[in-house]
Structure formats: structure tokens, C-alpha cells
Amino acid sequence: MILINLLPHREIARKKRKDAFNVGLGLSALAGGLLAGLVFVWYQAQILEQQNRNNFLQVEIKKFDEQIKDIAGLESQIAALVARQQAVEDLQADRNMPVHLLNEVVKHLPEGVYVNSLKQEAQSVVMQGVAQSNERVSELLRNLANKSSWFTRPELIEIVTSSIALTPKDTRRVSNFNIRVKLVRTSELAKAKAASAPSAPSSK
């Protein structure tokens, strides 16, 4: 007996392949969605962890900022105390400066030069007087600049020539001068002496 298959077997096979493709496509889409979801969740977890780290760092930075402000305040207080201490030490050291001022003026005043007034403002001393000639004033400036350790940077402010009558028949020309000079502090003088002193020889 001969059997003849009259069913559309090609259409059935094509339908099976189409159904299998659709199932595979759906599974692939589902797997891709699951994978994308896992990647999204992982990235969200990483972002959350980084945000927590950033928040922790911000809190610590604020703490350090407060500590830095406290340190800056302490440094300013220490600087103020040091400046106050230095001012007190300078006042104590400068108690004898008027004595040194008068001694140095008398010691280095050339013959023929007379001082009429001395005025001290802080470390600046203004000296006014009369000299027999301009050369005497120049000699005074050289003495103050080179021979005195208590004076520095002498500056001639003004020199004016005038005449004075010693007697009705004796008239002489004199030079009225005005000099500014800086008075060296006791602490500055001690530092200069320490710097210029030769170092002690090392023992063998």
C-alpha cells in the first residue's frame, strides 16, 4: 500500500523555525534586559558609594577648616605676644639711649661746631647748630657716619651761611646746619656686634 503525505510539511517546518527564532529573540531580549538592569544597579551602587565618600570627605574638610582657623588664630595671638614682648624689651633696652645720644654727640663733635638743639622722634634725631664753616659740618657728618656705632645714615637737611657780630668791629661768617641721623637701638647694636665678632676656633 502506498502512503502519500498530503499535509503542508514545508509550512509546518517553516512555522517551527519561526517560532524557535521568536522564542530565541525573546530570551535574548530578556537576557539583555536583565544584564542591563544588573549593570544599572551596579552603577547606582558605585555612585551611591562615591557620594557617601564625598560626603565623608566634605565633613572632614570642614573639620580641618575649623582646625586651620583655630591654628591661624593661635598664630596671630602668638605673633601679637611676640611683638608685645619685643616692644617691652626695646623699651627696657632703650632706657639709656638719651645718655648714649648725648655722649656720642659730645664725643664726635668737631672743634668749631656748636649744637643748639637735639630733637628725637622714635629712632630719628634732628640736630640743629652752628659751625665755623661748611668743612666743619662735613667733618661732623663723617664722624657720625664712620666713627659712631650709635648713629647711622646721617643726612644733611639744610645748611645756610650767615654772619654774626662778635664785636662791633668783628663780624664772622658761620654755617647754620640742620642734620638728621638715625639712632641705633641697643638690640640692633648687640646683633651687629655679634655678627661682626670672629667665630671661636674649634677645639681639636
Side-chain angles (χ1 to χ4, degrees):
M1 178 177 180
I2 299 173
L3 297 176
I4 299 174
N5 185 5
L6 299 177
L7 294 175
H9 60 89
R10 290 192 179 91
E11 287 76 6
I12 294 173
R14 189 180 299 114
K15 186 175 182 302
K16 287 181 179 180
R17 288 195 300 269
K18 185 177 180 181
D19 291 340
F21 174 77
N22 290 334
V23 170
L25 185 62
L27 292 175
S28 299
L30 180 60
L34 289 175
L35 182 60
L38 291 174
V39 172
F40 176 77
V41 170
W42 183 79
Y43 273 115
Q44 287 297 112
Q46 294 295 318
I47 292 172
L48 182 60
E49 183 179 358
Q50 188 62 45
Q51 288 177 347
N52 292 333
R53 291 177 181 174
N54 293 342
N55 294 333
F56 174 77
L57 289 176
Q58 289 178 355
V59 171
E60 294 299 320
I61 288 172
K62 288 181 180 179
K63 291 181 181 179
F64 281 122
D65 288 340
E66 294 297 328
Q67 293 177 0
I68 290 172
K69 289 180 181 179
D70 293 339
I71 293 173
L74 290 175
E75 288 179 348
S76 62
Q77 292 178 4
I78 291 173
L81 290 175
V82 170
R84 196 173 303 170
Q85 180 182 0
Q86 185 64 41
V88 172
E89 291 178 355
D90 289 339
L91 287 175
Q92 291 179 348
D94 294 345
R95 286 180 301 177
N96 297 326
M97 286 192 70
V99 178
H100 295 303
L101 170 61
L102 295 176
N103 287 339
E104 289 296 299
V105 170
V106 172
K107 185 187 300 183
H108 301 293
L109 200 65
E111 184 180 355
V113 178
Y114 305 92
V115 176
N116 296 329
S117 68
L118 284 173
K119 184 179 180 181
Q120 180 183 358
E121 293 181 359
Q123 300 308 113
S124 179
V125 177
V126 177
M127 185 185 309
Q128 294 179 346
V130 181
Q132 292 179 352
S133 63
N134 292 346
E135 288 75 14
R136 301 289 186 181
V137 178
S138 300
E139 184 180 355
L140 174 60
L141 290 171
R142 287 194 298 271
N143 290 344
L144 296 177
N146 302 325
K147 297 183 179 180
S148 175
S149 57
W150 291 95
F151 291 127
T152 182
R153 296 201 299 269
E155 174 188 1
L156 179 62
I157 301 174
E158 182 183 29
I159 185 168
V160 178
T161 302
S162 63
S163 300
I164 60 172
L166 299 179
T167 64
K169 295 183 179 181
D170 188 5
T171 301
R172 296 186 181 181
R173 297 178 65 83
V174 294
S175 299
N176 299 299
F177 63 88
N178 194 343
I179 293 175
R180 179 185 293 111
V181 64
K182 184 175 181 284
L183 190 60
V184 179
R185 287 185 180 275
T186 307
S187 58
E188 295 174 352
L189 184 61
K191 291 179 182 178
K193 288 183 178 179
S196 61
S199 58
S202 59
S203 59
K204 295 182 180 180

